[in-house]
Amino acid sequence: MSDIATLSRKTDFPGLITATGEPWHYLDTAATAQKPKPVIDAMARALGEDYATVHRGVYSRSAEMTLGYEAARRRVAAFVGAKSDSEIVFVRGATEAINLVAATWGAANIGEGDRIVLSTLEHHSNIVPWQMLTERTGAVIDVCPLTEDHCIDLDALAEMLTSRTKLVSLAHISNVLGSVLDVRRAAYLVHSVGAKLLLDGCQAAPRMALDMAAFDCDFYAFSAHKLYGPTGIGVLWAREEILRDMPPWQGGGAMIDKVAFDGTTYAPAPQRFEAGTPMITEAIALHAAIDYVAEQGVEQLLQHERALAGTLREELRSLNSVTLFGPEDSAGIVSFALQGVHPHDLGTILDEENVAIRAGHHCAQPLMEHLGVPATARASFGLYSDESDIAALMRGIERTQRIFG
């Protein structure tokens, strides 16, 4: 167990205490993370005494809020290792980020007969936007298989890539299995045929250090709410030269240079992709969330959660009639099935024990089909998790086994 268990104080997270004052064992961080007090306080201030619009007002509070909003963009740029803050586009979440790329870069660069490569383990948000694009363009989706230990098979990917491949879009970390992609090798393979690489970083951003230069990808997307920040905001990083040539997606205020009825000119990136009043308070809170994670030691997060996942896998393996999915070195996510017990039933019983897990297909139905199950139970850890959460989960599972006998 890493030292982060003592660094990440559960008392920083008001949501980890029930209404009766008992601990709530929250094991659904892969869906959305609990929020620490500094994030809650930052958003409350932004909604209250600091609140004003940005970019438009000439009064002092608007100017101050604009500085705070753009400071958040710079903080995100530093967090992901961007070349400049002009590579950071604020969106509503990773889903919108992927849709934006599909609707702009994809529509301009992918045509009939071109190939888009996804993998078996992708989240629906990294499948459906590309299907919608192929319906409009006549492009074709190829599906990269998994290895025996449920990682994306990069050897198979190498065999699938051709000169007609224009985009490869893959999860950096699987939201179901916790398997981690070798992004450097993936980027090398993808670029060897002149294609672009998009990474869904929703599960990686809260768990590991990000470095766009080292990753060598072309697009990277993640959501703030999985990074201990608020809902309603996410990030699309893209190479500056790619963003510069991408057409706008949504039209309206803020994304323009000059509007006239005989023609409109657009603002440069990233403003070109941020139509309307932006997510002002959410950006301020995202800044606070990144600062909080940095204070905990971002390099330790993956080690901490991987250790907890390893401990849980050992505990589950000791029980009869438990099937484990995913690799042994899972990044803080453990999916499993309990023989004779539907995951929804398990989740309901665990809830009675103040234990929260996820039960279902986790927005990854093609992966469920590959695994041969309709659903799994999923326990996912955060920086606030510790072995007491595992102990509570195991007590609940043992109670479930007694009930279903």
Side-chain angles (χ1 to χ4, degrees), residues 21-269:
E22 299 174 307
W24 190 42
H25 301 282
Y26 185 71
L27 294 171
D28 197 20
T29 300
T32 193
Q34 293 294 310
K35 317 308 173 193
K37 289 178 181 177
V39 171
I40 298 169
D41 293 344
M43 193 158 187
R45 286 194 304 273
L47 282 167
E49 59 264 34
D50 293 345
Y51 187 73
T53 191
V54 297
H55 297 149
R56 298 177 180 87
V58 297
Y59 48 92
S60 59
R61 188 186 291 186
S62 174
E64 290 168 3
M65 186 61 97
T66 298
L67 291 174
Y69 179 78
E70 292 302 332
R73 194 189 305 275
R74 291 193 298 275
R75 186 66 181 94
V76 172
F79 178 69
V80 304
K83 187 167 58 177
S84 75
D85 58 3
S86 62
E87 295 183 324
I88 302 301
V89 180
F90 285 133
V91 288
R92 289 184 300 166
T95 297
E96 183 168 275
I98 295 171
N99 275 274
L100 189 160
V101 175
T104 56
W105 184 91
N109 292 277
I110 297 176
E112 185 173 358
D114 287 337
R115 321 293 291 198
I116 299 168
V117 180
L118 311 175
S119 82
T120 301
L121 58 69
E122 300 307 316
H123 189 282
H124 296 166
S125 293
N126 199 26
I127 298 175
V128 179
W130 307 115
Q131 290 177 326
M132 295 170 69
L133 179 63
T134 62
E135 291 169 0
R136 295 194 300 269
T137 63
V140 179
I141 291 175
D142 297 317
V143 181
C144 181
L146 307 182
T147 60
E148 289 186 4
D149 62 348
H150 300 153
C151 296
I152 296 174
D153 190 340
L154 293 184
D155 290 336
L157 176 65
E159 296 296 321
M160 297 174 66
L161 296 172
T162 74
S163 61
R164 296 305 303 269
T165 305
K166 300 301 180 185
L167 180 83
V168 178
S169 191
L170 304 173
H172 191 169
I173 294 178
S174 166
N175 73 305
V176 177
L177 305 168
S179 50
V180 182
L181 177 71
D182 181 347
V183 295
R184 292 295 300 273
R185 186 180 177 211
Y188 173 80
L189 294 173
V190 171
H191 292 155
S192 70
V193 297
K196 296 289 190 287
L197 175 64
L198 184 150
L199 295 176
D200 171 1
C202 279
Q203 301 301 332
R207 292 182 168 84
M208 61 194 304
L210 305 181
D211 186 342
M212 296 302 109
F215 291 172
D216 198 28
C217 57
D218 301 287
F219 305 96
Y220 199 92
F222 65 90
S223 296
H225 72 95
K226 298 180 191 291
L227 184 61
Y228 309 97
T231 55
I233 187 170
V235 172
L236 170 66
W237 169 88
R239 295 182 186 275
E240 191 171 13
E241 60 272 20
I242 296 176
L243 282 178
R244 184 178 58 241
D245 295 334
M246 282 168 51
W249 181 30
Q250 297 174 323
M255 52 77 68
I256 54 86
D257 175 33
K258 181 180 180 181
V259 175
F261 283 111
D262 60 356
T264 293
T265 55
Y266 304 115

